[in-house]
């Protein structure tokens, strides 16, 4: 029972390079989310997808794009990486509806040099 | 906009001692409230949640939390801490919608001394 799976687990990019972080959940959840975690700042929402076919900006969307490929998969793309995007990225999913809790992946540690 | 405050960045507790981690939120209505734990290099694991009803909620690993509306607080407690509880703890709130946009506190790192 994998839950939420993120790939890769670690990545080093040069400034200006692009990459896509992958996320897949096998729980048939409707909603998916991307957060970033920075020291002393907790987790901040980048983008979310309330349901398949929809995506919306969160608190810190600049420099990112997302794709809800299907119900299972939600990818996060950095078109031109910047050192400020060095962070740990977490994908999460929720079943949808009220009174539910989020399930998180193990995270992707990204370093931009 | 809603916000979550965890005033303690670090807390050190002796093994076997009791623990209380503080969380205050700012929101116009009663949000959904959560505590998550993050062990080093790991993702976040849900400890407990509050949606409505009984203000004292029980979670996994012997943790509990109490919702106090008058104080806008949702403090996490454990009567006897184990060395394996050393981790970072996050309080979070979510709007009462059909999905969850979590707003997190900045976290409290718990250190357990022998």
């Amino acid at each position: 029972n994998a839950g939420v799976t993120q790939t890769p687990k670690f990545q080093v990019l040069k400034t200006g390079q692009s990459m896509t972080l992958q996320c897949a959940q096998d729980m048939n959840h409707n909603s998916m989310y991307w957060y970033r975690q920075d020291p002393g700042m907790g987790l901040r929402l980048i983008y979310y997808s309330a349901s398949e076919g929809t995506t919306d900006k969160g608190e810190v969307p600049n420099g990112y794009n997302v794709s809800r490929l299907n119900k299972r998969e939600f990818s996060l793309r950095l078109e031109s990486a910047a050192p400020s995007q060095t962070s740990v990225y977490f994908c999460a999913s929720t079943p949808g509806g009220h009174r539910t809790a989020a399930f998180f992946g193990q995270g992707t540690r990204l370093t931009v040099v | 906009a809603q916000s979550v405050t965890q005033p303690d960045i670090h807390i050190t507790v002796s093994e076997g001692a009791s623990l209380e981690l503080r969380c205050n939120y700012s929101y116009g209505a009663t949000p959904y409230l959560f505590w998550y734990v993050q062990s080093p290099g790991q993702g976040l694991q849900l400890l407990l949640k509050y949606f409505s009803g009984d203000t004292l909620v029980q979670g996994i690993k012997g943790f509990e939390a109490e919702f106090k509306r008058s104080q806008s607080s949702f403090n996490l407690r454990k009567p006897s801490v184990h060395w394996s509880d050393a981790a970072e703890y996050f309080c979070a709130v979510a709007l009462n919608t059909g999905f969850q946009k979590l707003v997190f506190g900045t976290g409290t790192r718990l250190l357990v001394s022998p």
Side-chain angles (χ1 to χ4, degrees):
Chain A
N1 197 0
V4 180
T5 303
Q6 293 182 232
T7 55
K9 288 185 169 49
F10 301 93
Q11 183 72 49
V12 179
L13 288 180
K14 294 182 179 179
T15 298
Q17 287 184 318
S18 63
M19 81 161 294
T20 300
L21 280 63
Q22 307 287 352
C23 175
Q25 51 89 12
D26 61 2
M27 297 173 284
N28 200 35
H29 284 177
N30 288 323
S31 306
M32 298 185 72
Y33 315 79
W34 277 105
Y35 292 88
R36 61 177 288 173
Q37 182 182 27
D38 302 294
M41 302 190 74
L43 281 78
R44 293 178 293 167
L45 183 63
I46 305 171
Y47 270 93
Y48 66 99
S49 171
S51 60
E52 186 178 359
T54 69
T55 60
D56 284 287
K57 295 178 180 179
E59 182 184 354
V60 288
N62 291 345
Y64 305 95
N65 286 299
V66 290
S67 295
R68 184 75 183 266
L69 305 171
N70 48 56
K71 191 170 186 179
R72 289 186 64 247
E73 298 172 289
F74 188 40
S75 63
L76 178 72
R77 183 161 178 83
L78 288 71
E79 292 290 353
S80 179
S84 61
Q85 295 178 304
T86 294
S87 188
V88 181
Y89 292 85
F90 287 99
C91 179
S93 68
T94 57
H98 297 267
R99 301 179 177 235
T100 61
F103 291 80
F104 283 82
Q106 294 296 297
T108 295
R109 184 174 294 275
L110 175 66
T111 302
V112 183
V113 297
Chain B
Q2 63 271 26
S3 64
V4 179
T5 301
Q6 292 181 248
D8 303 305
I9 298 174
H10 297 100
I11 283 185
T12 299
V13 175
S14 298
E15 190 168 15
S18 63
L19 169 71
E20 182 168 27
L21 302 182
R22 295 182 290 166
C23 173
N24 292 94
Y25 66 90
S26 172
Y27 185 54
T30 300
Y32 294 158
L33 297 158
F34 307 85
W35 276 99
Y36 284 87
V37 61
Q38 183 182 31
S39 298
Q42 301 297 311
L44 278 74
Q45 181 182 21
L46 179 69
L47 281 177
L48 46 78
K49 56 189 182 290
Y50 174 79
F51 296 134
S52 66
D54 192 347
T55 57
L56 185 64
V57 294
Q58 302 296 320
I60 62 171
K61 305 184 180 186
F63 285 92
E64 66 179 26
E66 185 172 12
F67 169 60
K68 293 186 177 180
R69 185 189 307 274
S70 61
Q71 299 177 19
S72 296
S73 69
F74 189 56
N75 293 349
L76 182 71
R77 301 194 294 246
K78 186 170 185 179
S80 178
V81 169
H82 188 263
W83 63 266
S84 60
D85 293 324
E88 189 152 23
Y89 292 80
F90 292 95
C91 181
V93 303
L95 295 175
N96 185 357
T97 62
F99 54 92
Q100 289 181 0
K101 291 164 58 178
L102 289 167
V103 176
F104 283 86
T106 52
T108 298
R109 182 165 298 279
L110 173 65
L111 305 174
V112 180
S113 60

